[in-house]
Amino acid sequence: MDNTTQIVLAIVTLLGSAGIWKYAEARLRVKAELKKEEKSESDTILYRDDLRRRVEDMDNALKEAHKELLELTQKVAKLETENSFLRREIDILKSK
Amino acid sequence: MLTLKKKIETIVAELTLRYDSLRKIWQYSDSQPTEITLAAALVILYPIATYLELGYSPIMQLMAPIAGLYQLYCVSGKCLSCRVRASFVTFSFYLLAGVMYLYCGLLFQGPSYWGWILLAVSSFGSLKRIKKEELHRKNG
């Protein structure tokens, strides 16, 4: 085999292998990008689910707090009434 | 009849599982040992075999050992982009051997010559594995 043939074959092979590799590399890149997007999408879904759960928890806590506030308001009203009666009784006792 | 069908289904399922496992190992396993073997073959075997079978060819017999040594240097340095470059060069050389043997009409004279194709496929697989690892490290 003469030198020219060898050089031509080497160049052709190099170009061919570069072409094959460029194609394979592009495919690998696309696949990696798709995988990355899928991963980020699944992260977003997880984050959204977490937020939804937290909103539910906070809503329950708010309802509980409302209930407690109502009970406390009732107790305060009751105590105020009791207090006013006691004051009146004290006044009556003092005036005697 | 039913048991035979079940047996065949089990065997097919097992073989599919094994095939998937092999495919995953081929795609994701550590490729340094393969790279070292391919590089060593490029340094030692490649020039001797091509000289004896194809005759004197400076591109193959002088450049290939350098490429092999470069690959060994990159594997020892643990630099991924360097390994990708070196693996590409190695793949090119093995492909060149295949093309040269085909051009000289030796490739189909005996199955032992198909080893060059096997080495080209192996080096290409190794190249893809390293690139995948590089992309994986980049993307996190």
Side-chain angles (χ1 to χ4, degrees), chain B residues 78-127:
Chain B
K78 293 173 188 171
C79 168
L80 273 179
S81 52
C82 176
R83 278 169 63 196
V84 171
R85 268 196 308 274
S87 289
F88 171 71
V89 177
T90 307
F91 163 62
S92 299
F93 270 106
Y94 283 124
L95 196 68
L96 178 65
V99 170
M100 289 284 195
Y101 274 74
L102 185 71
Y103 181 79
C104 295
L106 285 167
L107 198 64
F108 298 111
Q109 278 195 0
S112 62
Y113 293 114
W114 301 345
W116 296 112
I117 305 294
L118 183 76
L119 287 169
V121 171
S122 175
S123 58
F124 188 65
S126 160
L127 176 60

Side-chain angles (χ1 to χ4, degrees), chain A residues 1 3 5-7 9-11 13-14 16-18 20-21 24-25 28-29 31-33 35-36 39, chain B residues 28 54 56-59 84 88 91-92 95-96 99-100 103-104 124 127-128 131-132 135 138-140:
Chain A
M1 203 187 322
N3 278 343
T5 317
Q6 281 180 28
I7 290 166
L9 279 178
I11 290 168
T13 311
L14 189 68
S17 62
I20 293 167
W21 175 233
E25 196 184 12
L28 285 177
R29 271 185 204 283
K31 268 188 189 172
E33 283 295 318
K35 220 175 185 178
K36 196 181 167 187
K39 199 181 164 225
Chain B
Y28 300 107
L54 299 175
Y56 179 63
S57 167
I59 296 171
V84 171
F88 171 71
F91 163 62
S92 299
L95 196 68
L96 178 65
V99 170
M100 289 284 195
Y103 181 79
C104 295
F124 188 65
L127 176 60
K128 273 178 80 175
K131 189 67 199 178
K132 247 181 213 170
L135 287 172
K138 248 184 218 171
N139 292 337

Side-chain angles (χ1 to χ4, degrees), chain A residues 1 8 23 46 50 55 68 77 85 88 91:
Chain A
M1 203 187 322
V8 169
Y23 173 71
L46 280 176
D50 190 43
V55 167
E68 275 177 26
F85 273 107
R88 206 177 301 163
D91 287 342

Side-chain angles (χ1 to χ4, degrees), chain B residues 9-138:
Chain B
E9 273 174 9
T10 318
I11 291 167
V12 168
E14 178 70 22
L15 285 176
T16 315
L17 207 72
R18 296 283 165 141
Y19 170 73
D20 279 346
S21 171
L22 278 178
R23 201 168 54 87
K24 274 178 193 160
I25 291 167
W26 170 258
Q27 284 179 333
Y28 300 107
S29 69
D30 227 6
S31 68
Q32 279 104 324
T34 319
E35 283 170 62
I36 293 169
T37 311
L38 288 168
L42 205 59
V43 175
I44 302 158
L45 178 80
Y46 194 93
I48 298 169
T50 52
Y51 181 73
L52 291 175
E53 289 166 352
L54 299 175
Y56 179 63
S57 167
I59 296 171
M60 295 174 89
Q61 285 132 28
L62 295 177
M63 304 285 271
I66 296 168
L69 290 172
Y70 178 58
Q71 170 117 44
L72 288 173
Y73 168 78
C74 289
V75 175
S76 63
K78 293 173 188 171
C79 168
L80 273 179
S81 52
C82 176
R83 278 169 63 196
V84 171
R85 268 196 308 274
S87 289
F88 171 71
V89 177
T90 307
F91 163 62
S92 299
F93 270 106
Y94 283 124
L95 196 68
L96 178 65
V99 170
M100 289 284 195
Y101 274 74
L102 185 71
Y103 181 79
C104 295
L106 285 167
L107 198 64
F108 298 111
Q109 278 195 0
S112 62
Y113 293 114
W114 301 345
W116 296 112
I117 305 294
L118 183 76
L119 287 169
V121 171
S122 175
S123 58
F124 188 65
S126 160
L127 176 60
K128 273 178 80 175
R129 271 196 296 274
I130 307 164
K131 189 67 199 178
K132 247 181 213 170
E133 195 180 332
E134 195 184 40
L135 287 172
H136 183 72
R137 280 194 198 176
K138 248 184 218 171

